[in-house]
Amino acid sequence: MAKKQFKAESKRLLDLMINSIYTHKEIFLREIISNASDACDKLCYLALTDNAVGMDRKDFQIEILVDKAQRTLTVRDNGIGMDKEDLENNLGIIASSGSYRFKQEVGEDAPDTDVIGQFGVGFYSAFMVSDAITVVTKKYGAQTGYVWKSSGADGYTITECEKDTVGTDVIMHIKEDTPQETYSEFLESYRLQELVRKYSDYIRFPIRMEVSKTRRKEGCPEDQPEYETYTEVETLNSMVPIWQRRKSSVKPEEYNKFYRDKFHDYTDPQRVIAVSAEGAVTYKALLFIPGAAPFDYYSKDYEKGLQLYSSGVLIMDKCPDLLPDHFRFVRGVVDSPDLSLNISRELLQHDRQLKVIASNLEKKIKSELEKMCKDDREAYETFWKNFGRQLKYGVVESFGMHKEQLQDLLLFYSSTEKKLVTLSEYVSRMPEDQAYIYYAAGDAVERIDKLPQTELLREKGTEILYFTEEVDEFCAQTLGTYQGKELRSVLNQEIEEGAEKKAEESAGAHKDALDFVKSTLGDRVQDVRPSTRLKSHPVCLTAGEGMSFEMEKYFQLLQPQENLKAQRILELNVDHPVFQALEAAVTADPDKARLYATLLYNQALLIAGLPLEDPSGYTDLVCQLMK
């Protein structure tokens, strides 16, 4: 039979298909298997109304056959098959989909059918790895079989043939290897098994292949090989996804095994969230909150995203659009038949469905975390240890867009409870006359507990939240208030009503000494003030409004070249004997008073955890005063 030519536009599309549409060559196997599944689905659907078919769902299968000598890879199905007209319409005209027409004919709600391919282009992805394709097929109810052959854009032939059984064989002649590409990998059993399990594990018909195995010989003489190789037909796919089963029918250890195998984690997940939704978008999801943070979680190499399936076929290994950044630690799968796929079945034509799914999943995850925090605090604190910092980042990012959603999930260490508490729990214990939610930031709980600025409040029994991570103060500034209560820094803001007036009165009474200290220290400090927050300590350093000292340390690590610094305001306890000695020296011995002022400034730097400007000079100063 004379070779038929593809239409000019089909030639262009075929060239685009082979060179541009598909990101990865390995996708071809997914497409060919999906077509085979469609063929089985069609005959399976027909069997529901035609008893003459004589088959039910369990009789259908897909086979993969490899002939390394001939360099052929065959995908065989016993589905509905094709006649000459089908071959002309489905394979002779690129982007003409028989599956799409079938879906239109039977309707969206047809029972027991789930046709995957809708664009009629997936078949041609095989030309990415093949230099020739032969299709041997026989349609159900037909007497004659047909052979379709093509070597690509130069056209195709269709001839009659004898075929005993209904169904289709797609025989791909794999290209020879080149210095740039190793096509022979698609003739290797292990590689084909890997691709089936990656992309087609949940095709609902068994995918079978003959695989080589090794076993120990029985009664083997010592001078003979102890093991022998044999072949066995194996079903490669699991067919029924675990997320399609009712949660009540799945044991916890099954979920754990699925998670560990699927996401290559050594630890069991801490929580499992199963979702089944119908409505604007129909989908099923199986989400996991990991039991431990991946080693690279807080690095730039970590990729967020859920595995995205369409009717059991893997579309994207990590779809980032399904998770907000603040829940990027969640792993899992989403499967929906409603996705608008593009022709390569790799990307989405538009993301309306994704946005609906993502919004619903975000609510589910938040609800599960709230439930865990309320009902299983120990488990939540384990989760918090792993991923709490991520929730704080979520509060800060996008100018606080998500702060209302996340604020009740936050935990901070309490000075009075000696454990992690929520903001809600803190507010519930506040006395009626307490105006602020107090916090103090530092390197560690133990260090904050000893800061001079916290002493007065701690002695009164006032609860203080201890911030020990660099993001904490950014988080507090973003929140601003919680349940109408302002978050206020014990270290950098006045901590009681009327403090400003009291400080002004003290400043007037001790003006000469304060001015002397300011003159001595010069531009090393912005101001010198009497303190209203110190009790038994003589001095402290505050940063005032804006950047704190902990923020300064963070920026020095992140952007040292910018040399960003917080304000330095020296606060002196005018009731302390040390200040009284300083004040006396201002008049009696100004030189010694200058030494006192410098000494107190350096002590304030040490208390704040800031570097001394001249460590050697500081030790010399101490020695000089000791003489």
Side-chain angles (χ1 to χ4, degrees), residues 242-298:
I242 193 171
W243 60 81
Q244 294 288 0
R245 296 161 58 185
R246 288 193 302 273
K247 188 173 183 179
S248 59
S249 70
V250 183
K251 297 177 181 178
E253 51 267 30
E254 291 182 275
Y255 280 135
N256 292 346
K257 184 178 186 305
F258 173 83
Y259 169 79
R260 290 195 307 269
D261 293 346
K262 194 72 167 175
F263 301 103
H264 311 293
D265 199 341
Y266 295 106
T267 59
D268 290 337
Q270 192 173 13
R271 279 293 189 275
V272 179
I273 307 171
V275 183
S276 180
E278 295 182 359
V281 179
T282 298
Y283 68 93
K284 291 183 184 293
L286 188 58
L287 310 179
F288 299 92
I289 297 175
F295 72 93
D296 63 343
Y297 181 72
Y298 287 107

Short mmCIF file of all heavy atoms in Angstrom, two decimals, residues 242-298:
data_model
loop_
_atom_site.label_atom_id
_atom_site.label_comp_id
_atom_site.label_asym_id
_atom_site.label_seq_id
_atom_site.Cartn_x
_atom_site.Cartn_y
_atom_site.Cartn_z
N ILE A 242 -3.95 4.07 47.42
CA ILE A 242 -4.37 4.01 48.82
C ILE A 242 -5.31 5.16 49.15
O ILE A 242 -6.18 5.03 50.01
CB ILE A 242 -3.12 4.02 49.73
CG1 ILE A 242 -3.50 3.63 51.15
CG2 ILE A 242 -2.39 5.36 49.67
CD1 ILE A 242 -2.29 3.40 52.06
N TRP A 243 -5.17 6.29 48.42
CA TRP A 243 -6.05 7.44 48.71
C TRP A 243 -7.46 7.25 48.17
O TRP A 243 -8.36 8.02 48.49
CB TRP A 243 -5.43 8.73 48.18
CG TRP A 243 -5.19 8.75 46.69
CD1 TRP A 243 -6.09 9.02 45.72
CD2 TRP A 243 -3.95 8.51 46.03
NE1 TRP A 243 -5.49 8.96 44.48
CE2 TRP A 243 -4.17 8.65 44.64
CE3 TRP A 243 -2.67 8.19 46.47
CZ2 TRP A 243 -3.17 8.48 43.70
CZ3 TRP A 243 -1.67 8.03 45.53
CH2 TRP A 243 -1.92 8.17 44.17
N GLN A 244 -7.67 6.24 47.31
CA GLN A 244 -9.01 5.95 46.82
C GLN A 244 -9.80 5.07 47.79
O GLN A 244 -11.01 4.90 47.63
CB GLN A 244 -8.94 5.27 45.45
CG GLN A 244 -8.37 6.12 44.33
CD GLN A 244 -9.32 7.21 43.87
OE1 GLN A 244 -10.42 7.35 44.40
NE2 GLN A 244 -8.90 7.99 42.89
N ARG A 245 -9.13 4.52 48.77
CA ARG A 245 -9.80 3.68 49.76
C ARG A 245 -10.33 4.53 50.91
O ARG A 245 -9.79 5.59 51.22
CB ARG A 245 -8.82 2.63 50.30
CG ARG A 245 -8.35 1.65 49.23
CD ARG A 245 -7.07 0.94 49.65
NE ARG A 245 -7.21 0.20 50.90
CZ ARG A 245 -6.21 -0.42 51.51
NH1 ARG A 245 -4.98 -0.36 50.98
NH2 ARG A 245 -6.41 -1.07 52.64
N ARG A 246 -11.42 4.06 51.54
CA ARG A 246 -11.95 4.77 52.69
C ARG A 246 -10.91 4.74 53.82
O ARG A 246 -10.27 3.72 54.06
CB ARG A 246 -13.25 4.14 53.17
CG ARG A 246 -14.42 4.39 52.25
CD ARG A 246 -15.73 4.01 52.94
NE ARG A 246 -15.71 2.61 53.36
CZ ARG A 246 -16.07 1.58 52.59
NH1 ARG A 246 -16.47 1.82 51.35
NH2 ARG A 246 -16.04 0.36 53.05
N LYS A 247 -10.77 5.84 54.53
CA LYS A 247 -9.77 5.92 55.58
C LYS A 247 -10.00 4.85 56.64
O LYS A 247 -9.04 4.30 57.20
CB LYS A 247 -9.79 7.31 56.22
CG LYS A 247 -8.63 7.52 57.19
CD LYS A 247 -8.54 8.95 57.69
CE LYS A 247 -7.33 9.12 58.61
NZ LYS A 247 -7.19 10.51 59.11
N SER A 248 -11.27 4.52 56.90
CA SER A 248 -11.58 3.52 57.92
C SER A 248 -11.09 2.13 57.53
O SER A 248 -10.94 1.25 58.39
CB SER A 248 -13.09 3.49 58.17
OG SER A 248 -13.78 3.18 56.97
N SER A 249 -10.84 1.91 56.23
CA SER A 249 -10.41 0.58 55.77
C SER A 249 -8.90 0.47 55.65
O SER A 249 -8.38 -0.58 55.28
CB SER A 249 -11.06 0.27 54.41
OG SER A 249 -10.50 1.08 53.40
N VAL A 250 -8.17 1.57 55.94
CA VAL A 250 -6.72 1.57 55.81
C VAL A 250 -6.10 1.58 57.21
O VAL A 250 -6.41 2.43 58.04
CB VAL A 250 -6.22 2.79 55.02
CG1 VAL A 250 -4.71 2.73 54.84
CG2 VAL A 250 -6.92 2.87 53.66
N LYS A 251 -5.22 0.64 57.47
CA LYS A 251 -4.56 0.58 58.77
C LYS A 251 -3.46 1.64 58.85
O LYS A 251 -2.85 2.00 57.84
CB LYS A 251 -3.94 -0.81 58.97
CG LYS A 251 -4.96 -1.94 59.00
CD LYS A 251 -4.27 -3.29 59.13
CE LYS A 251 -5.29 -4.42 59.14
NZ LYS A 251 -4.63 -5.75 59.22
N PRO A 252 -3.20 2.14 60.05
CA PRO A 252 -2.15 3.16 60.21
C PRO A 252 -0.80 2.71 59.65
O PRO A 252 -0.09 3.50 59.03
CB PRO A 252 -2.07 3.36 61.73
CG PRO A 252 -3.44 3.01 62.22
CD PRO A 252 -3.90 1.89 61.32
N GLU A 253 -0.47 1.42 59.84
CA GLU A 253 0.81 0.95 59.32
C GLU A 253 0.86 0.96 57.79
O GLU A 253 1.94 1.08 57.20
CB GLU A 253 1.14 -0.45 59.85
CG GLU A 253 0.05 -1.47 59.68
CD GLU A 253 -0.87 -1.58 60.88
OE1 GLU A 253 -1.06 -0.57 61.59
OE2 GLU A 253 -1.39 -2.68 61.11
N GLU A 254 -0.31 0.85 57.14
CA GLU A 254 -0.35 0.94 55.67
C GLU A 254 -0.04 2.37 55.22
O GLU A 254 0.71 2.58 54.26
CB GLU A 254 -1.72 0.51 55.15
CG GLU A 254 -2.01 -0.97 55.30
CD GLU A 254 -3.37 -1.34 54.72
OE1 GLU A 254 -4.38 -1.20 55.45
OE2 GLU A 254 -3.43 -1.75 53.55
N TYR A 255 -0.64 3.36 55.91
CA TYR A 255 -0.33 4.75 55.61
C TYR A 255 1.15 5.03 55.84
O TYR A 255 1.82 5.70 55.04
CB TYR A 255 -1.16 5.69 56.48
CG TYR A 255 -2.58 5.90 56.00
CD1 TYR A 255 -3.65 5.88 56.88
CD2 TYR A 255 -2.84 6.18 54.66
CE1 TYR A 255 -4.95 6.10 56.46
CE2 TYR A 255 -4.13 6.40 54.20
CZ TYR A 255 -5.19 6.36 55.12
OH TYR A 255 -6.46 6.57 54.67
N ASN A 256 1.68 4.53 56.95
CA ASN A 256 3.08 4.76 57.27
C ASN A 256 4.01 4.19 56.21
O ASN A 256 4.98 4.83 55.80
CB ASN A 256 3.42 4.16 58.64
CG ASN A 256 2.72 4.89 59.78
OD1 ASN A 256 2.20 5.99 59.60
ND2 ASN A 256 2.69 4.28 60.94
N LYS A 257 3.71 2.97 55.78
CA LYS A 257 4.55 2.32 54.76
C LYS A 257 4.48 3.08 53.45
O LYS A 257 5.49 3.30 52.77
CB LYS A 257 4.13 0.87 54.56
CG LYS A 257 5.05 0.11 53.59
CD LYS A 257 4.63 -1.34 53.44
CE LYS A 257 5.62 -2.11 52.58
NZ LYS A 257 5.86 -1.51 51.26
N PHE A 258 3.25 3.48 53.06
CA PHE A 258 3.09 4.24 51.83
C PHE A 258 3.91 5.52 51.89
O PHE A 258 4.62 5.87 50.94
CB PHE A 258 1.61 4.58 51.61
CG PHE A 258 1.36 5.51 50.45
CD1 PHE A 258 1.28 5.02 49.16
CD2 PHE A 258 1.23 6.88 50.65
CE1 PHE A 258 1.07 5.88 48.08
CE2 PHE A 258 1.01 7.74 49.59
CZ PHE A 258 0.93 7.23 48.31
N TYR A 259 3.84 6.21 53.02
CA TYR A 259 4.58 7.46 53.17
C TYR A 259 6.08 7.23 53.08
O TYR A 259 6.78 7.93 52.35
CB TYR A 259 4.22 8.12 54.50
CG TYR A 259 5.12 9.28 54.85
CD1 TYR A 259 4.94 10.52 54.27
CD2 TYR A 259 6.17 9.11 55.75
CE1 TYR A 259 5.78 11.58 54.56
CE2 TYR A 259 7.01 10.17 56.06
CZ TYR A 259 6.81 11.39 55.46
OH TYR A 259 7.66 12.43 55.74
N ARG A 260 6.57 6.25 53.81
CA ARG A 260 8.02 6.01 53.82
C ARG A 260 8.52 5.62 52.44
O ARG A 260 9.57 6.08 51.98
CB ARG A 260 8.37 4.92 54.84
CG ARG A 260 8.18 5.33 56.29
CD ARG A 260 8.89 4.35 57.22
NE ARG A 260 8.50 2.98 56.97
CZ ARG A 260 7.49 2.35 57.57
NH1 ARG A 260 6.77 2.99 58.47
NH2 ARG A 260 7.20 1.09 57.28
N ASP A 261 7.77 4.75 51.76
CA ASP A 261 8.19 4.30 50.43
C ASP A 261 8.08 5.41 49.39
O ASP A 261 8.96 5.58 48.55
CB ASP A 261 7.34 3.10 49.99
CG ASP A 261 7.59 1.86 50.84
OD1 ASP A 261 8.59 1.86 51.59
OD2 ASP A 261 6.79 0.91 50.77
N LYS A 262 6.99 6.15 49.47
CA LYS A 262 6.71 7.16 48.44
C LYS A 262 7.63 8.36 48.56
O LYS A 262 8.07 8.93 47.55
CB LYS A 262 5.26 7.63 48.56
CG LYS A 262 4.74 8.40 47.36
CD LYS A 262 4.54 7.47 46.20
CE LYS A 262 3.76 8.09 45.09
NZ LYS A 262 3.67 7.20 43.92
N PHE A 263 7.93 8.74 49.79
CA PHE A 263 8.68 9.98 49.99
C PHE A 263 10.07 9.74 50.58
O PHE A 263 10.73 10.68 51.02
CB PHE A 263 7.87 10.94 50.86
CG PHE A 263 6.54 11.28 50.25
CD1 PHE A 263 5.37 10.70 50.73
CD2 PHE A 263 6.45 12.13 49.16
CE1 PHE A 263 4.14 10.98 50.14
CE2 PHE A 263 5.23 12.41 48.57
CZ PHE A 263 4.07 11.84 49.07
N HIS A 264 10.47 8.47 50.58
CA HIS A 264 11.85 8.09 50.94
C HIS A 264 12.24 8.67 52.31
O HIS A 264 13.31 9.26 52.47
CB HIS A 264 12.83 8.57 49.85
CG HIS A 264 12.40 8.20 48.47
ND1 HIS A 264 12.34 6.89 48.02
CD2 HIS A 264 11.98 8.96 47.43
CE1 HIS A 264 11.92 6.87 46.77
NE2 HIS A 264 11.69 8.12 46.39
N ASP A 265 11.36 8.49 53.27
CA ASP A 265 11.62 8.96 54.62
C ASP A 265 11.80 7.75 55.54
O ASP A 265 11.13 6.73 55.36
CB ASP A 265 10.45 9.82 55.12
CG ASP A 265 10.83 10.70 56.30
OD1 ASP A 265 11.84 10.40 56.96
OD2 ASP A 265 10.10 11.68 56.57
N TYR A 266 12.70 7.87 56.49
CA TYR A 266 12.95 6.77 57.41
C TYR A 266 12.00 6.79 58.62
O TYR A 266 11.89 5.81 59.34
CB TYR A 266 14.40 6.81 57.91
CG TYR A 266 15.41 6.58 56.81
CD1 TYR A 266 16.17 7.62 56.30
CD2 TYR A 266 15.59 5.31 56.27
CE1 TYR A 266 17.09 7.41 55.28
CE2 TYR A 266 16.51 5.09 55.25
CZ TYR A 266 17.25 6.14 54.77
OH TYR A 266 18.16 5.92 53.76
N THR A 267 11.35 7.92 58.84
CA THR A 267 10.46 8.04 59.98
C THR A 267 9.00 8.03 59.54
O THR A 267 8.67 8.44 58.43
CB THR A 267 10.73 9.35 60.75
OG1 THR A 267 10.54 10.46 59.85
CG2 THR A 267 12.16 9.38 61.27
N ASP A 268 8.13 7.57 60.43
CA ASP A 268 6.70 7.58 60.14
C ASP A 268 6.18 9.01 60.17
O ASP A 268 6.73 9.87 60.87
CB ASP A 268 5.94 6.75 61.18
CG ASP A 268 6.21 5.25 61.05
OD1 ASP A 268 6.59 4.83 59.94
OD2 ASP A 268 6.04 4.53 62.04
N PRO A 269 5.12 9.28 59.43
CA PRO A 269 4.53 10.62 59.49
C PRO A 269 3.90 10.87 60.84
O PRO A 269 3.46 9.94 61.52
CB PRO A 269 3.47 10.60 58.38
CG PRO A 269 3.10 9.16 58.26
CD PRO A 269 4.36 8.39 58.52
N GLN A 270 3.84 12.13 61.24
CA GLN A 270 3.22 12.44 62.52
C GLN A 270 1.70 12.49 62.40
O GLN A 270 0.99 12.14 63.35
CB GLN A 270 3.74 13.79 63.03
CG GLN A 270 3.36 14.05 64.47
CD GLN A 270 4.02 15.29 65.02
OE1 GLN A 270 4.57 16.09 64.29
NE2 GLN A 270 3.96 15.46 66.32
N ARG A 271 1.20 12.93 61.27
CA ARG A 271 -0.25 12.99 61.06
C ARG A 271 -0.57 12.63 59.61
O ARG A 271 0.21 12.91 58.70
CB ARG A 271 -0.79 14.39 61.35
CG ARG A 271 -1.01 14.70 62.83
CD ARG A 271 -2.14 13.84 63.41
NE ARG A 271 -2.51 14.26 64.74
CZ ARG A 271 -1.91 13.87 65.87
NH1 ARG A 271 -0.85 13.07 65.80
NH2 ARG A 271 -2.34 14.27 67.05
N VAL A 272 -1.74 12.02 59.42
CA VAL A 272 -2.25 11.69 58.09
C VAL A 272 -3.57 12.43 57.91
O VAL A 272 -4.44 12.37 58.77
CB VAL A 272 -2.47 10.18 57.92
CG1 VAL A 272 -3.03 9.87 56.54
CG2 VAL A 272 -1.17 9.42 58.17
N ILE A 273 -3.70 13.14 56.79
CA ILE A 273 -4.93 13.87 56.48
C ILE A 273 -5.49 13.33 55.17
O ILE A 273 -4.88 13.52 54.11
CB ILE A 273 -4.67 15.38 56.36
CG1 ILE A 273 -3.94 15.91 57.60
CG2 ILE A 273 -5.97 16.14 56.14
CD1 ILE A 273 -3.45 17.34 57.46
N ALA A 274 -6.62 12.63 55.23
CA ALA A 274 -7.26 12.09 54.03
C ALA A 274 -8.43 13.00 53.64
O ALA A 274 -9.25 13.35 54.49
CB ALA A 274 -7.76 10.68 54.28
N VAL A 275 -8.48 13.40 52.38
CA VAL A 275 -9.49 14.34 51.91
C VAL A 275 -10.20 13.75 50.69
O VAL A 275 -9.55 13.24 49.77
CB VAL A 275 -8.86 15.70 51.51
CG1 VAL A 275 -9.94 16.69 51.11
CG2 VAL A 275 -8.02 16.25 52.66
N SER A 276 -11.51 13.81 50.70
CA SER A 276 -12.31 13.42 49.54
C SER A 276 -13.33 14.51 49.30
O SER A 276 -14.18 14.78 50.15
CB SER A 276 -13.01 12.08 49.79
OG SER A 276 -13.78 11.70 48.67
N ALA A 277 -13.22 15.19 48.15
CA ALA A 277 -14.07 16.35 47.90
C ALA A 277 -14.81 16.21 46.58
O ALA A 277 -14.26 15.74 45.59
CB ALA A 277 -13.22 17.62 47.89
N GLU A 278 -16.05 16.62 46.58
CA GLU A 278 -16.87 16.69 45.37
C GLU A 278 -17.55 18.05 45.34
O GLU A 278 -17.88 18.61 46.37
CB GLU A 278 -17.92 15.57 45.35
CG GLU A 278 -17.32 14.18 45.26
CD GLU A 278 -18.39 13.10 45.18
OE1 GLU A 278 -19.58 13.45 45.22
OE2 GLU A 278 -18.01 11.91 45.11
N GLY A 279 -17.71 18.58 44.15
CA GLY A 279 -18.32 19.89 44.04
C GLY A 279 -17.76 20.63 42.86
O GLY A 279 -17.72 20.09 41.74
N ALA A 280 -17.32 21.87 43.08
CA ALA A 280 -16.76 22.67 41.99
C ALA A 280 -15.59 21.93 41.35
O ALA A 280 -15.42 21.96 40.12
CB ALA A 280 -16.30 24.02 42.52
N VAL A 281 -14.78 21.26 42.17
CA VAL A 281 -13.69 20.41 41.68
C VAL A 281 -13.72 19.13 42.50
O VAL A 281 -13.76 19.16 43.72
CB VAL A 281 -12.31 21.10 41.84
CG1 VAL A 281 -11.21 20.18 41.33
CG2 VAL A 281 -12.28 22.42 41.09
N THR A 282 -13.71 18.01 41.80
CA THR A 282 -13.67 16.71 42.48
C THR A 282 -12.23 16.25 42.60
O THR A 282 -11.47 16.28 41.62
CB THR A 282 -14.48 15.67 41.69
OG1 THR A 282 -15.86 16.10 41.65
CG2 THR A 282 -14.40 14.29 42.35
N TYR A 283 -11.84 15.86 43.78
CA TYR A 283 -10.47 15.38 43.98
C TYR A 283 -10.38 14.58 45.26
O TYR A 283 -11.25 14.66 46.13
CB TYR A 283 -9.49 16.57 44.04
CG TYR A 283 -9.64 17.42 45.28
CD1 TYR A 283 -8.88 17.18 46.42
CD2 TYR A 283 -10.54 18.48 45.31
CE1 TYR A 283 -9.02 17.96 47.56
CE2 TYR A 283 -10.69 19.26 46.43
CZ TYR A 283 -9.93 19.00 47.56
OH TYR A 283 -10.09 19.76 48.68
N LYS A 284 -9.32 13.81 45.34
CA LYS A 284 -8.96 13.11 46.57
C LYS A 284 -7.52 13.50 46.90
O LYS A 284 -6.71 13.69 46.00
CB LYS A 284 -9.10 11.59 46.42
CG LYS A 284 -10.54 11.11 46.30
CD LYS A 284 -10.62 9.59 46.22
CE LYS A 284 -12.04 9.11 46.01
NZ LYS A 284 -12.91 9.39 47.16
N ALA A 285 -7.24 13.59 48.16
CA ALA A 285 -5.88 13.95 48.59
C ALA A 285 -5.50 13.13 49.81
O ALA A 285 -6.35 12.77 50.62
CB ALA A 285 -5.80 15.44 48.91
N LEU A 286 -4.23 12.83 49.89
CA LEU A 286 -3.68 12.15 51.05
C LEU A 286 -2.43 12.93 51.47
O LEU A 286 -1.43 12.95 50.75
CB LEU A 286 -3.32 10.70 50.72
CG LEU A 286 -2.89 9.81 51.89
CD1 LEU A 286 -3.99 9.75 52.95
CD2 LEU A 286 -2.57 8.40 51.40
N LEU A 287 -2.53 13.61 52.60
CA LEU A 287 -1.48 14.51 53.04
C LEU A 287 -0.81 13.96 54.30
O LEU A 287 -1.45 13.31 55.13
CB LEU A 287 -2.05 15.90 53.34
CG LEU A 287 -2.92 16.54 52.25
CD1 LEU A 287 -3.40 17.90 52.71
CD2 LEU A 287 -2.15 16.65 50.94
N PHE A 288 0.48 14.26 54.44
CA PHE A 288 1.23 13.79 55.59
C PHE A 288 2.01 14.95 56.21
O PHE A 288 2.65 15.72 55.50
CB PHE A 288 2.24 12.71 55.16
CG PHE A 288 1.61 11.49 54.54
CD1 PHE A 288 1.43 11.41 53.17
CD2 PHE A 288 1.18 10.44 55.32
CE1 PHE A 288 0.85 10.30 52.58
CE2 PHE A 288 0.60 9.31 54.76
CZ PHE A 288 0.44 9.24 53.38
N ILE A 289 1.94 15.04 57.52
CA ILE A 289 2.82 15.94 58.27
C ILE A 289 4.00 15.08 58.72
O ILE A 289 3.82 14.15 59.51
CB ILE A 289 2.11 16.56 59.47
CG1 ILE A 289 0.94 17.43 58.98
CG2 ILE A 289 3.09 17.39 60.30
CD1 ILE A 289 0.09 18.01 60.10
N PRO A 290 5.20 15.33 58.21
CA PRO A 290 6.34 14.47 58.52
C PRO A 290 6.66 14.42 60.01
O PRO A 290 6.39 15.37 60.75
CB PRO A 290 7.49 15.11 57.74
CG PRO A 290 6.82 15.89 56.64
CD PRO A 290 5.54 16.39 57.25
N GLY A 291 7.23 13.30 60.42
CA GLY A 291 7.61 13.13 61.81
C GLY A 291 8.93 13.79 62.14
O GLY A 291 9.28 13.94 63.31
N ALA A 292 9.68 14.18 61.13
CA ALA A 292 10.96 14.86 61.32
C ALA A 292 11.21 15.76 60.13
O ALA A 292 10.76 15.48 59.01
CB ALA A 292 12.10 13.84 61.48
N ALA A 293 11.93 16.84 60.35
CA ALA A 293 12.25 17.77 59.25
C ALA A 293 13.35 17.18 58.39
O ALA A 293 14.34 16.65 58.91
CB ALA A 293 12.69 19.12 59.81
N PRO A 294 13.21 17.22 57.06
CA PRO A 294 14.30 16.78 56.18
C PRO A 294 15.56 17.57 56.46
O PRO A 294 15.50 18.73 56.88
CB PRO A 294 13.75 17.08 54.78
CG PRO A 294 12.27 17.17 54.93
CD PRO A 294 12.03 17.69 56.31
N PHE A 295 16.70 16.96 56.25
CA PHE A 295 17.97 17.61 56.58
C PHE A 295 18.16 18.93 55.83
O PHE A 295 18.83 19.84 56.31
CB PHE A 295 19.15 16.67 56.28
CG PHE A 295 19.43 16.48 54.81
CD1 PHE A 295 20.35 17.27 54.16
CD2 PHE A 295 18.75 15.52 54.08
CE1 PHE A 295 20.60 17.11 52.80
CE2 PHE A 295 18.99 15.35 52.72
CZ PHE A 295 19.93 16.15 52.08
N ASP A 296 17.55 19.04 54.64
CA ASP A 296 17.73 20.26 53.83
C ASP A 296 16.50 21.16 53.88
O ASP A 296 16.35 22.05 53.04
CB ASP A 296 18.03 19.88 52.38
CG ASP A 296 16.89 19.12 51.71
OD1 ASP A 296 16.00 18.60 52.43
OD2 ASP A 296 16.88 19.04 50.47
N TYR A 297 15.63 20.96 54.88
CA TYR A 297 14.34 21.65 54.86
C TYR A 297 14.49 23.18 54.82
O TYR A 297 13.81 23.86 54.05
CB TYR A 297 13.49 21.25 56.06
CG TYR A 297 12.15 21.94 56.05
CD1 TYR A 297 11.18 21.56 55.12
CD2 TYR A 297 11.86 23.01 56.89
CE1 TYR A 297 9.96 22.21 55.06
CE2 TYR A 297 10.65 23.66 56.83
CZ TYR A 297 9.70 23.26 55.91
OH TYR A 297 8.51 23.91 55.83
N TYR A 298 15.36 23.72 55.65
CA TYR A 298 15.51 25.17 55.70
C TYR A 298 16.62 25.67 54.78
O TYR A 298 17.20 26.73 55.01
CB TYR A 298 15.77 25.62 57.14
CG TYR A 298 14.52 25.52 58.01
CD1 TYR A 298 14.40 24.54 58.98
CD2 TYR A 298 13.46 26.40 57.84
CE1 TYR A 298 13.27 24.44 59.77
CE2 TYR A 298 12.32 26.31 58.62
CZ TYR A 298 12.23 25.33 59.59
OH TYR A 298 11.10 25.24 60.37
#
